[in-house]
PDB file of all heavy atoms in Angstrom:
ATOM      1  N   LEU N   1     -39.288 -16.813 -86.892  1.00 86.00           N
ATOM      2  CA  LEU N   1     -40.631 -16.263 -87.036  1.00 86.00           C
ATOM      3  C   LEU N   1     -41.639 -16.971 -86.153  1.00 86.00           C
ATOM      4  O   LEU N   1     -42.496 -16.285 -85.491  1.00 86.00           O
ATOM      5  CB  LEU N   1     -41.100 -16.329 -88.583  1.00 86.00           C
ATOM      6  CG  LEU N   1     -40.335 -15.496 -89.548  1.00 86.00           C
ATOM      7  CD1 LEU N   1     -40.814 -15.687 -90.965  1.00 86.00           C
ATOM      8  CD2 LEU N   1     -40.378 -13.999 -89.168  1.00 86.00           C
ATOM      9  N   PHE N   2     -41.547 -18.255 -86.084  1.00 88.00           N
ATOM     10  CA  PHE N   2     -42.538 -19.054 -85.247  1.00 88.00           C
ATOM     11  C   PHE N   2     -42.110 -18.911 -83.754  1.00 88.00           C
ATOM     12  O   PHE N   2     -43.034 -19.196 -82.938  1.00 88.00           O
ATOM     13  CB  PHE N   2     -42.447 -20.537 -85.643  1.00 88.00           C
ATOM     14  CG  PHE N   2     -43.031 -20.817 -87.037  1.00 88.00           C
ATOM     15  CD1 PHE N   2     -42.451 -21.747 -87.864  1.00 88.00           C
ATOM     16  CD2 PHE N   2     -44.134 -20.085 -87.480  1.00 88.00           C
ATOM     17  CE1 PHE N   2     -42.927 -22.004 -89.113  1.00 88.00           C
ATOM     18  CE2 PHE N   2     -44.620 -20.318 -88.729  1.00 88.00           C
ATOM     19  CZ  PHE N   2     -44.080 -21.285 -89.561  1.00 88.00           C
ATOM     20  N   SER N   3     -40.923 -18.448 -83.489  1.00 83.00           N
ATOM     21  CA  SER N   3     -40.582 -18.289 -82.051  1.00 83.00           C
ATOM     22  C   SER N   3     -41.181 -16.849 -81.481  1.00 83.00           C
ATOM     23  O   SER N   3     -41.373 -16.745 -80.275  1.00 83.00           O
ATOM     24  CB  SER N   3     -39.088 -18.231 -81.827  1.00 83.00           C
ATOM     25  OG  SER N   3     -38.543 -19.513 -82.127  1.00 83.00           O
ATOM     26  N   MET N   4     -41.428 -15.980 -82.466  1.00 81.00           N
ATOM     27  CA  MET N   4     -41.879 -14.721 -82.016  1.00 81.00           C
ATOM     28  C   MET N   4     -43.224 -14.659 -81.247  1.00 81.00           C
ATOM     29  O   MET N   4     -43.376 -14.052 -80.211  1.00 81.00           O
ATOM     30  CB  MET N   4     -41.978 -13.682 -83.207  1.00 81.00           C
ATOM     31  CG  MET N   4     -40.546 -13.266 -83.648  1.00 81.00           C
ATOM     32  SD  MET N   4     -40.676 -12.071 -84.984  1.00 81.00           S
ATOM     33  CE  MET N   4     -38.852 -11.714 -85.158  1.00 81.00           C
ATOM     34  N   PRO N   5     -44.202 -15.474 -81.753  1.00 83.00           N
ATOM     35  CA  PRO N   5     -45.493 -15.590 -80.958  1.00 83.00           C
ATOM     36  C   PRO N   5     -45.191 -16.093 -79.568  1.00 83.00           C
ATOM     37  O   PRO N   5     -45.873 -15.615 -78.586  1.00 83.00           O
ATOM     38  CB  PRO N   5     -46.351 -16.452 -81.829  1.00 83.00           C
ATOM     39  CG  PRO N   5     -45.843 -16.380 -83.161  1.00 83.00           C
ATOM     40  CD  PRO N   5     -44.330 -16.148 -83.034  1.00 83.00           C
ATOM     41  N   LEU N   6     -44.309 -17.053 -79.353  1.00 79.00           N
ATOM     42  CA  LEU N   6     -43.987 -17.544 -78.089  1.00 79.00           C
ATOM     43  C   LEU N   6     -43.369 -16.442 -77.153  1.00 79.00           C
ATOM     44  O   LEU N   6     -43.736 -16.300 -76.011  1.00 79.00           O
ATOM     45  CB  LEU N   6     -43.064 -18.753 -78.142  1.00 79.00           C
ATOM     46  CG  LEU N   6     -43.572 -20.036 -78.649  1.00 79.00           C
ATOM     47  CD1 LEU N   6     -42.520 -21.128 -78.830  1.00 79.00           C
ATOM     48  CD2 LEU N   6     -44.791 -20.546 -77.767  1.00 79.00           C
ATOM     49  N   MET N   7     -42.429 -15.765 -77.703  1.00 72.00           N
ATOM     50  CA  MET N   7     -41.794 -14.645 -76.984  1.00 72.00           C
ATOM     51  C   MET N   7     -42.823 -13.532 -76.641  1.00 72.00           C
ATOM     52  O   MET N   7     -42.788 -12.998 -75.489  1.00 72.00           O
ATOM     53  CB  MET N   7     -40.559 -14.063 -77.766  1.00 72.00           C
ATOM     54  CG  MET N   7     -39.631 -15.057 -78.267  1.00 72.00           C
ATOM     55  SD  MET N   7     -38.874 -15.989 -76.943  1.00 72.00           S
ATOM     56  CE  MET N   7     -37.907 -17.221 -77.880  1.00 72.00           C
ATOM     57  N   ASP N   8     -43.663 -13.262 -77.665  1.00 67.00           N
ATOM     58  CA  ASP N   8     -44.607 -12.161 -77.461  1.00 67.00           C
ATOM     59  C   ASP N   8     -45.673 -12.531 -76.391  1.00 67.00           C
ATOM     60  O   ASP N   8     -46.124 -11.611 -75.688  1.00 67.00           O
ATOM     61  CB  ASP N   8     -45.328 -11.895 -78.818  1.00 67.00           C
ATOM     62  CG  ASP N   8     -46.140 -10.613 -78.751  1.00 67.00           C
ATOM     63  OD1 ASP N   8     -45.485  -9.569 -78.638  1.00 67.00           O
ATOM     64  OD2 ASP N   8     -47.319 -10.687 -78.894  1.00 67.00           O
ATOM     65  N   SER N   9     -45.952 -13.809 -76.237  1.00 62.00           N
ATOM     66  CA  SER N   9     -46.998 -14.228 -75.247  1.00 62.00           C
ATOM     67  C   SER N   9     -46.418 -14.541 -73.881  1.00 62.00           C
ATOM     68  O   SER N   9     -47.178 -15.008 -73.018  1.00 62.00           O
ATOM     69  CB  SER N   9     -47.801 -15.435 -75.822  1.00 62.00           C
ATOM     70  OG  SER N   9     -46.935 -16.523 -75.977  1.00 62.00           O
ATOM     71  N   GLY N  10     -45.098 -14.377 -73.713  1.00 57.00           N
ATOM     72  CA  GLY N  10     -44.437 -14.653 -72.474  1.00 57.00           C
ATOM     73  C   GLY N  10     -44.140 -16.089 -72.243  1.00 57.00           C
ATOM     74  O   GLY N  10     -43.774 -16.514 -71.143  1.00 57.00           O
ATOM     75  N   HIS N  11     -44.210 -16.999 -73.273  1.00 55.00           N
ATOM     76  CA  HIS N  11     -43.951 -18.413 -73.151  1.00 55.00           C
ATOM     77  C   HIS N  11     -42.456 -18.738 -73.525  1.00 55.00           C
ATOM     78  O   HIS N  11     -42.140 -19.886 -73.676  1.00 55.00           O
ATOM     79  CB  HIS N  11     -44.844 -19.287 -74.016  1.00 55.00           C
ATOM     80  CG  HIS N  11     -46.287 -19.321 -73.460  1.00 55.00           C
ATOM     81  ND1 HIS N  11     -47.205 -18.342 -73.768  1.00 55.00           N
ATOM     82  CD2 HIS N  11     -46.912 -20.215 -72.644  1.00 55.00           C
ATOM     83  CE1 HIS N  11     -48.375 -18.613 -73.178  1.00 55.00           C
ATOM     84  NE2 HIS N  11     -48.174 -19.800 -72.501  1.00 55.00           N
ATOM     85  N   GLY N  12     -41.661 -17.763 -73.696  1.00 54.00           N
ATOM     86  CA  GLY N  12     -40.291 -18.000 -73.940  1.00 54.00           C
ATOM     87  C   GLY N  12     -39.443 -16.811 -73.564  1.00 54.00           C
ATOM     88  O   GLY N  12     -39.919 -15.678 -73.432  1.00 54.00           O
ATOM     89  N   VAL N  13     -38.141 -17.009 -73.416  1.00 55.00           N
ATOM     90  CA  VAL N  13     -37.229 -15.969 -73.018  1.00 55.00           C
ATOM     91  C   VAL N  13     -36.374 -15.632 -74.278  1.00 55.00           C
ATOM     92  O   VAL N  13     -35.561 -16.526 -74.722  1.00 55.00           O
ATOM     93  CB  VAL N  13     -36.307 -16.357 -71.858  1.00 55.00           C
ATOM     94  CG1 VAL N  13     -35.392 -15.218 -71.501  1.00 55.00           C
ATOM     95  CG2 VAL N  13     -37.220 -16.703 -70.682  1.00 55.00           C
ATOM     96  N   PRO N  14     -36.485 -14.438 -74.875  1.00 56.00           N
ATOM     97  CA  PRO N  14     -35.734 -14.121 -76.064  1.00 56.00           C
ATOM     98  C   PRO N  14     -34.248 -14.007 -75.728  1.00 56.00           C
ATOM     99  O   PRO N  14     -33.872 -13.453 -74.674  1.00 56.00           O
ATOM    100  CB  PRO N  14     -36.275 -12.759 -76.559  1.00 56.00           C
ATOM    101  CG  PRO N  14     -36.865 -12.189 -75.295  1.00 56.00           C
ATOM    102  CD  PRO N  14     -37.383 -13.278 -74.425  1.00 56.00           C
ATOM    103  N   ASP N  15     -33.389 -14.536 -76.630  1.00 58.00           N
ATOM    104  CA  ASP N  15     -32.008 -14.368 -76.471  1.00 58.00           C
ATOM    105  C   ASP N  15     -31.633 -13.004 -77.006  1.00 58.00           C
ATOM    106  O   ASP N  15     -32.489 -12.312 -77.626  1.00 58.00           O
ATOM    107  CB  ASP N  15     -31.213 -15.453 -77.230  1.00 58.00           C
ATOM    108  CG  ASP N  15     -31.712 -15.573 -78.681  1.00 58.00           C
ATOM    109  OD1 ASP N  15     -31.529 -14.558 -79.470  1.00 58.00           O
ATOM    110  OD2 ASP N  15     -32.230 -16.607 -79.102  1.00 58.00           O
ATOM    111  N   PRO N  16     -30.388 -12.481 -76.927  1.00 64.00           N
ATOM    112  CA  PRO N  16     -30.054 -11.168 -77.407  1.00 64.00           C
ATOM    113  C   PRO N  16     -30.373 -10.931 -78.862  1.00 64.00           C
ATOM    114  O   PRO N  16     -30.848  -9.830 -79.236  1.00 64.00           O
ATOM    115  CB  PRO N  16     -28.500 -11.077 -77.138  1.00 64.00           C
ATOM    116  CG  PRO N  16     -28.282 -11.992 -76.023  1.00 64.00           C
ATOM    117  CD  PRO N  16     -29.260 -13.126 -76.188  1.00 64.00           C
ATOM    118  N   PHE N  17     -30.169 -11.885 -79.749  1.00 60.00           N
ATOM    119  CA  PHE N  17     -30.474 -11.678 -81.079  1.00 60.00           C
ATOM    120  C   PHE N  17     -31.956 -11.533 -81.311  1.00 60.00           C
ATOM    121  O   PHE N  17     -32.427 -10.686 -82.087  1.00 60.00           O
ATOM    122  CB  PHE N  17     -29.950 -12.915 -81.930  1.00 60.00           C
ATOM    123  CG  PHE N  17     -30.317 -12.841 -83.365  1.00 60.00           C
ATOM    124  CD1 PHE N  17     -29.669 -11.948 -84.256  1.00 60.00           C
ATOM    125  CD2 PHE N  17     -31.379 -13.694 -83.902  1.00 60.00           C
ATOM    126  CE1 PHE N  17     -30.035 -11.903 -85.551  1.00 60.00           C
ATOM    127  CE2 PHE N  17     -31.700 -13.634 -85.245  1.00 60.00           C
ATOM    128  CZ  PHE N  17     -31.030 -12.698 -86.076  1.00 60.00           C
ATOM    129  N   MET N  18     -32.816 -12.393 -80.654  1.00 59.00           N
ATOM    130  CA  MET N  18     -34.220 -12.279 -80.769  1.00 59.00           C
ATOM    131  C   MET N  18     -34.770 -10.952 -80.259  1.00 59.00           C
ATOM    132  O   MET N  18     -35.717 -10.398 -80.728  1.00 59.00           O
ATOM    133  CB  MET N  18     -34.874 -13.426 -80.063  1.00 59.00           C
ATOM    134  CG  MET N  18     -34.823 -14.759 -80.809  1.00 59.00           C
ATOM    135  SD  MET N  18     -35.693 -14.698 -82.436  1.00 59.00           S
ATOM    136  CE  MET N  18     -37.376 -14.539 -81.877  1.00 59.00           C
ATOM    137  N   ARG N  19     -34.063 -10.400 -79.187  1.00 63.00           N
ATOM    138  CA  ARG N  19     -34.478  -9.121 -78.654  1.00 63.00           C
ATOM    139  C   ARG N  19     -34.350  -8.041 -79.698  1.00 63.00           C
ATOM    140  O   ARG N  19     -35.150  -7.143 -79.828  1.00 63.00           O
ATOM    141  CB  ARG N  19     -33.678  -8.745 -77.389  1.00 63.00           C
ATOM    142  CG  ARG N  19     -34.046  -9.577 -76.122  1.00 63.00           C
ATOM    143  CD  ARG N  19     -33.398  -8.971 -74.955  1.00 63.00           C
ATOM    144  NE  ARG N  19     -33.700  -9.772 -73.709  1.00 63.00           N
ATOM    145  CZ  ARG N  19     -32.930 -10.702 -73.243  1.00 63.00           C
ATOM    146  NH1 ARG N  19     -31.767 -10.870 -73.799  1.00 63.00           N
ATOM    147  NH2 ARG N  19     -33.205 -11.374 -72.144  1.00 63.00           N
ATOM    148  N   LEU N  20     -33.235  -8.129 -80.441  1.00 63.00           N
ATOM    149  CA  LEU N  20     -32.991  -7.158 -81.505  1.00 63.00           C
ATOM    150  C   LEU N  20     -34.075  -7.352 -82.663  1.00 63.00           C
ATOM    151  O   LEU N  20     -34.401  -6.313 -83.389  1.00 63.00           O
ATOM    152  CB  LEU N  20     -31.690  -7.350 -82.116  1.00 63.00           C
ATOM    153  CG  LEU N  20     -30.494  -6.991 -81.186  1.00 63.00           C
ATOM    154  CD1 LEU N  20     -29.115  -7.312 -81.879  1.00 63.00           C
ATOM    155  CD2 LEU N  20     -30.502  -5.502 -80.806  1.00 63.00           C
ATOM    156  N   MET N  21     -34.615  -8.570 -82.867  1.00 63.00           N
ATOM    157  CA  MET N  21     -35.509  -8.805 -83.969  1.00 63.00           C
ATOM    158  C   MET N  21     -36.950  -8.715 -83.529  1.00 63.00           C
ATOM    159  O   MET N  21     -37.813  -8.831 -84.386  1.00 63.00           O
ATOM    160  CB  MET N  21     -35.217 -10.157 -84.515  1.00 63.00           C
ATOM    161  CG  MET N  21     -33.785 -10.382 -85.016  1.00 63.00           C
ATOM    162  SD  MET N  21     -33.302  -9.197 -86.316  1.00 63.00           S
ATOM    163  CE  MET N  21     -34.436  -9.683 -87.657  1.00 63.00           C
ATOM    164  N   MET N  22     -37.201  -8.465 -82.264  1.00 65.00           N
ATOM    165  CA  MET N  22     -38.649  -8.452 -81.834  1.00 65.00           C
ATOM    166  C   MET N  22     -39.466  -7.305 -82.414  1.00 65.00           C
ATOM    167  O   MET N  22     -40.701  -7.399 -82.331  1.00 65.00           O
ATOM    168  CB  MET N  22     -38.687  -8.435 -80.274  1.00 65.00           C
ATOM    169  CG  MET N  22     -38.353  -9.762 -79.615  1.00 65.00           C
ATOM    170  SD  MET N  22     -39.437 -11.120 -80.157  1.00 65.00           S
ATOM    171  CE  MET N  22     -41.023 -10.628 -79.418  1.00 65.00           C
ATOM    172  N   TRP N  23     -38.800  -6.278 -82.955  1.00 68.00           N
ATOM    173  CA  TRP N  23     -39.515  -5.250 -83.566  1.00 68.00           C
ATOM    174  C   TRP N  23     -40.384  -5.775 -84.774  1.00 68.00           C
ATOM    175  O   TRP N  23     -41.394  -5.163 -85.203  1.00 68.00           O
ATOM    176  CB  TRP N  23     -38.611  -4.115 -84.052  1.00 68.00           C
ATOM    177  CG  TRP N  23     -37.620  -4.592 -85.090  1.00 68.00           C
ATOM    178  CD1 TRP N  23     -36.373  -5.083 -84.890  1.00 68.00           C
ATOM    179  CD2 TRP N  23     -37.780  -4.450 -86.571  1.00 68.00           C
ATOM    180  NE1 TRP N  23     -35.799  -5.366 -86.080  1.00 68.00           N
ATOM    181  CE2 TRP N  23     -36.638  -5.023 -87.113  1.00 68.00           C
ATOM    182  CE3 TRP N  23     -38.835  -4.110 -87.388  1.00 68.00           C
ATOM    183  CZ2 TRP N  23     -36.443  -5.136 -88.527  1.00 68.00           C
ATOM    184  CZ3 TRP N  23     -38.654  -4.172 -88.704  1.00 68.00           C
ATOM    185  CH2 TRP N  23     -37.440  -4.720 -89.284  1.00 68.00           C
ATOM    186  N   LEU N  24     -39.929  -6.959 -85.307  1.00 72.00           N
ATOM    187  CA  LEU N  24     -40.606  -7.575 -86.379  1.00 72.00           C
ATOM    188  C   LEU N  24     -42.014  -8.219 -85.902  1.00 72.00           C
ATOM    189  O   LEU N  24     -42.830  -8.581 -86.756  1.00 72.00           O
ATOM    190  CB  LEU N  24     -39.787  -8.677 -87.079  1.00 72.00           C
ATOM    191  CG  LEU N  24     -38.600  -8.122 -87.930  1.00 72.00           C
ATOM    192  CD1 LEU N  24     -37.771  -9.360 -88.392  1.00 72.00           C
ATOM    193  CD2 LEU N  24     -39.091  -7.395 -89.118  1.00 72.00           C
ATOM    194  N   SER N  25     -42.124  -8.347 -84.623  1.00 70.00           N
ATOM    195  CA  SER N  25     -43.314  -9.017 -84.131  1.00 70.00           C
ATOM    196  C   SER N  25     -44.553  -8.199 -84.504  1.00 70.00           C
ATOM    197  O   SER N  25     -45.612  -8.844 -84.863  1.00 70.00           O
ATOM    198  CB  SER N  25     -43.196  -9.200 -82.599  1.00 70.00           C
ATOM    199  OG  SER N  25     -44.346  -9.813 -82.058  1.00 70.00           O
ATOM    200  N   THR N  26     -44.478  -6.930 -84.385  1.00 68.00           N
ATOM    201  CA  THR N  26     -45.659  -6.134 -84.727  1.00 68.00           C
ATOM    202  C   THR N  26     -46.034  -6.250 -86.170  1.00 68.00           C
ATOM    203  O   THR N  26     -47.183  -6.399 -86.558  1.00 68.00           O
ATOM    204  CB  THR N  26     -45.383  -4.647 -84.351  1.00 68.00           C
ATOM    205  OG1 THR N  26     -45.051  -4.514 -82.997  1.00 68.00           O
ATOM    206  CG2 THR N  26     -46.605  -3.784 -84.623  1.00 68.00           C
ATOM    207  N   LEU N  27     -44.993  -6.237 -87.027  1.00 72.00           N
ATOM    208  CA  LEU N  27     -45.214  -6.338 -88.491  1.00 72.00           C
ATOM    209  C   LEU N  27     -45.820  -7.765 -88.816  1.00 72.00           C
ATOM    210  O   LEU N  27     -46.747  -7.908 -89.578  1.00 72.00           O
ATOM    211  CB  LEU N  27     -43.953  -6.122 -89.248  1.00 72.00           C
ATOM    212  CG  LEU N  27     -44.030  -6.262 -90.825  1.00 72.00           C
ATOM    213  CD1 LEU N  27     -44.964  -5.277 -91.426  1.00 72.00           C
ATOM    214  CD2 LEU N  27     -42.573  -6.071 -91.366  1.00 72.00           C
ATOM    215  N   LEU N  28     -45.231  -8.779 -88.142  1.00 73.00           N
ATOM    216  CA  LEU N  28     -45.645 -10.117 -88.390  1.00 73.00           C
ATOM    217  C   LEU N  28     -47.098 -10.395 -87.891  1.00 73.00           C
ATOM    218  O   LEU N  28     -47.885 -11.081 -88.519  1.00 73.00           O
ATOM    219  CB  LEU N  28     -44.672 -11.160 -87.648  1.00 73.00           C
ATOM    220  CG  LEU N  28     -44.896 -12.561 -87.909  1.00 73.00           C
ATOM    221  CD1 LEU N  28     -44.642 -12.912 -89.399  1.00 73.00           C
ATOM    222  CD2 LEU N  28     -43.964 -13.457 -87.041  1.00 73.00           C
ATOM    223  N   ARG N  29     -47.444  -9.652 -86.754  1.00 74.00           N
ATOM    224  CA  ARG N  29     -48.843  -9.780 -86.308  1.00 74.00           C
ATOM    225  C   ARG N  29     -49.848  -9.243 -87.317  1.00 74.00           C
ATOM    226  O   ARG N  29     -50.952  -9.732 -87.443  1.00 74.00           O
ATOM    227  CB  ARG N  29     -48.969  -9.016 -84.982  1.00 74.00           C
ATOM    228  CG  ARG N  29     -50.358  -9.200 -84.295  1.00 74.00           C
ATOM    229  CD  ARG N  29     -50.439  -8.379 -83.032  1.00 74.00           C
ATOM    230  NE  ARG N  29     -49.527  -8.896 -82.031  1.00 74.00           N
ATOM    231  CZ  ARG N  29     -49.888  -9.823 -81.184  1.00 74.00           C
ATOM    232  NH1 ARG N  29     -51.096 -10.385 -81.263  1.00 74.00           N
ATOM    233  NH2 ARG N  29     -49.040 -10.316 -80.200  1.00 74.00           N
ATOM    234  N   GLN N  30     -49.425  -8.144 -87.976  1.00 74.00           N
ATOM    235  CA  GLN N  30     -50.283  -7.550 -88.956  1.00 74.00           C
ATOM    236  C   GLN N  30     -50.404  -8.400 -90.262  1.00 74.00           C
ATOM    237  O   GLN N  30     -51.473  -8.563 -90.866  1.00 74.00           O
ATOM    238  CB  GLN N  30     -49.810  -6.168 -89.391  1.00 74.00           C
ATOM    239  CG  GLN N  30     -49.807  -5.100 -88.158  1.00 74.00           C
ATOM    240  CD  GLN N  30     -49.224  -3.817 -88.525  1.00 74.00           C
ATOM    241  OE1 GLN N  30     -48.614  -3.661 -89.634  1.00 74.00           O
ATOM    242  NE2 GLN N  30     -49.307  -2.836 -87.646  1.00 74.00           N
ATOM    243  N   LEU N  31     -49.295  -9.018 -90.649  1.00 78.00           N
ATOM    244  CA  LEU N  31     -49.273  -9.826 -91.833  1.00 78.00           C
ATOM    245  C   LEU N  31     -49.887 -11.204 -91.682  1.00 78.00           C
ATOM    246  O   LEU N  31     -50.598 -11.666 -92.509  1.00 78.00           O
ATOM    247  CB  LEU N  31     -47.781 -10.032 -92.377  1.00 78.00           C
ATOM    248  CG  LEU N  31     -47.202  -8.690 -92.868  1.00 78.00           C
ATOM    249  CD1 LEU N  31     -45.712  -8.966 -93.241  1.00 78.00           C
ATOM    250  CD2 LEU N  31     -47.897  -8.041 -94.026  1.00 78.00           C
ATOM    251  N   LEU N  32     -49.579 -11.832 -90.519  1.00 76.00           N
ATOM    252  CA  LEU N  32     -50.098 -13.165 -90.238  1.00 76.00           C
ATOM    253  C   LEU N  32     -50.730 -13.224 -88.861  1.00 76.00           C
ATOM    254  O   LEU N  32     -50.155 -13.777 -87.872  1.00 76.00           O
ATOM    255  CB  LEU N  32     -48.855 -14.143 -90.305  1.00 76.00           C
ATOM    256  CG  LEU N  32     -48.185 -14.332 -91.645  1.00 76.00           C
ATOM    257  CD1 LEU N  32     -46.976 -15.203 -91.455  1.00 76.00           C
ATOM    258  CD2 LEU N  32     -49.154 -14.923 -92.726  1.00 76.00           C
ATOM    259  N   PRO N  33     -51.909 -12.563 -88.764  1.00 77.00           N
ATOM    260  CA  PRO N  33     -52.526 -12.589 -87.362  1.00 77.00           C
ATOM    261  C   PRO N  33     -52.854 -13.950 -86.873  1.00 77.00           C
ATOM    262  O   PRO N  33     -52.881 -14.209 -85.652  1.00 77.00           O
ATOM    263  CB  PRO N  33     -53.792 -11.732 -87.668  1.00 77.00           C
ATOM    264  CG  PRO N  33     -54.052 -11.829 -89.079  1.00 77.00           C
ATOM    265  CD  PRO N  33     -52.723 -11.941 -89.692  1.00 77.00           C
ATOM    266  N   GLY N  34     -53.122 -14.907 -87.816  1.00 77.00           N
ATOM    267  CA  GLY N  34     -53.481 -16.233 -87.350  1.00 77.00           C
ATOM    268  C   GLY N  34     -52.349 -16.951 -86.664  1.00 77.00           C
ATOM    269  O   GLY N  34     -52.566 -17.863 -85.830  1.00 77.00           O
ATOM    270  N   LEU N  35     -51.105 -16.582 -86.931  1.00 78.00           N
ATOM    271  CA  LEU N  35     -49.881 -17.271 -86.316  1.00 78.00           C
ATOM    272  C   LEU N  35     -49.908 -16.963 -84.824  1.00 78.00           C
ATOM    273  O   LEU N  35     -49.539 -17.838 -84.099  1.00 78.00           O
ATOM    274  CB  LEU N  35     -48.642 -16.658 -86.990  1.00 78.00           C
ATOM    275  CG  LEU N  35     -47.394 -17.272 -86.551  1.00 78.00           C
ATOM    276  CD1 LEU N  35     -47.261 -18.736 -86.821  1.00 78.00           C
ATOM    277  CD2 LEU N  35     -46.180 -16.549 -87.183  1.00 78.00           C
ATOM    278  N   PHE N  36     -50.413 -15.866 -84.392  1.00 77.00           N
ATOM    279  CA  PHE N  36     -50.386 -15.455 -82.978  1.00 77.00           C
ATOM    280  C   PHE N  36     -51.623 -16.068 -82.277  1.00 77.00           C
ATOM    281  O   PHE N  36     -51.635 -15.927 -81.059  1.00 77.00           O
ATOM    282  CB  PHE N  36     -50.379 -13.933 -82.871  1.00 77.00           C
ATOM    283  CG  PHE N  36     -49.040 -13.257 -83.192  1.00 77.00           C
ATOM    284  CD1 PHE N  36     -48.672 -13.119 -84.552  1.00 77.00           C
ATOM    285  CD2 PHE N  36     -48.173 -12.948 -82.217  1.00 77.00           C
ATOM    286  CE1 PHE N  36     -47.503 -12.545 -84.874  1.00 77.00           C
ATOM    287  CE2 PHE N  36     -46.928 -12.417 -82.613  1.00 77.00           C
ATOM    288  CZ  PHE N  36     -46.593 -12.177 -83.885  1.00 77.00           C
ATOM    289  N   ARG N  37     -52.512 -16.722 -82.988  1.00 80.00           N
ATOM    290  CA  ARG N  37     -53.657 -17.380 -82.285  1.00 80.00           C
ATOM    291  C   ARG N  37     -53.364 -18.876 -82.026  1.00 80.00           C
ATOM    292  O   ARG N  37     -54.159 -19.580 -81.486  1.00 80.00           O
ATOM    293  CB  ARG N  37     -54.921 -17.144 -83.138  1.00 80.00           C
ATOM    294  CG  ARG N  37     -55.443 -15.689 -83.123  1.00 80.00           C
ATOM    295  CD  ARG N  37     -56.819 -15.666 -83.604  1.00 80.00           C
ATOM    296  NE  ARG N  37     -56.889 -15.871 -85.062  1.00 80.00           N
ATOM    297  CZ  ARG N  37     -56.835 -15.034 -86.035  1.00 80.00           C
ATOM    298  NH1 ARG N  37     -56.667 -13.725 -85.682  1.00 80.00           N
ATOM    299  NH2 ARG N  37     -56.933 -15.289 -87.314  1.00 80.00           N
ATOM    300  N   LEU N  38     -52.268 -19.341 -82.588  1.00 81.00           N
ATOM    301  CA  LEU N  38     -51.871 -20.740 -82.438  1.00 81.00           C
ATOM    302  C   LEU N  38     -51.453 -20.963 -80.989  1.00 81.00           C
ATOM    303  O   LEU N  38     -50.819 -20.120 -80.312  1.00 81.00           O
ATOM    304  CB  LEU N  38     -50.649 -21.151 -83.359  1.00 81.00           C
ATOM    305  CG  LEU N  38     -51.046 -21.041 -84.878  1.00 81.00           C
ATOM    306  CD1 LEU N  38     -49.742 -21.389 -85.646  1.00 81.00           C
ATOM    307  CD2 LEU N  38     -52.107 -22.057 -85.230  1.00 81.00           C
TER     308      LEU N  38
END
């Protein structure tokens, strides 16, 4: 979960598993918007 903001902002390269799970990034942004401001 904490890696998703890094991947979403381009500060990390997602592995194949994370690419499959990145659809959760939108849901996580809605639930915890403050996480993406860190």
Side-chain angles (χ1 to χ4, degrees):
L1 295 178
F2 291 142
S3 295
M4 285 184 178
L6 287 176
M7 307 300 174
D8 192 65
S9 60
H11 286 85
V13 178
D15 54 62
F17 176 74
M18 283 297 292
R19 288 194 182 96
L20 292 175
M21 302 301 295
M22 283 304 291
W23 62 272
L24 289 173
S25 179
T26 303
L27 178 62
L28 188 63
R29 185 185 291 274
Q30 295 174 354
L31 295 176
L32 299 172
L35 182 63
F36 287 79
R37 291 194 291 269
L38 297 175

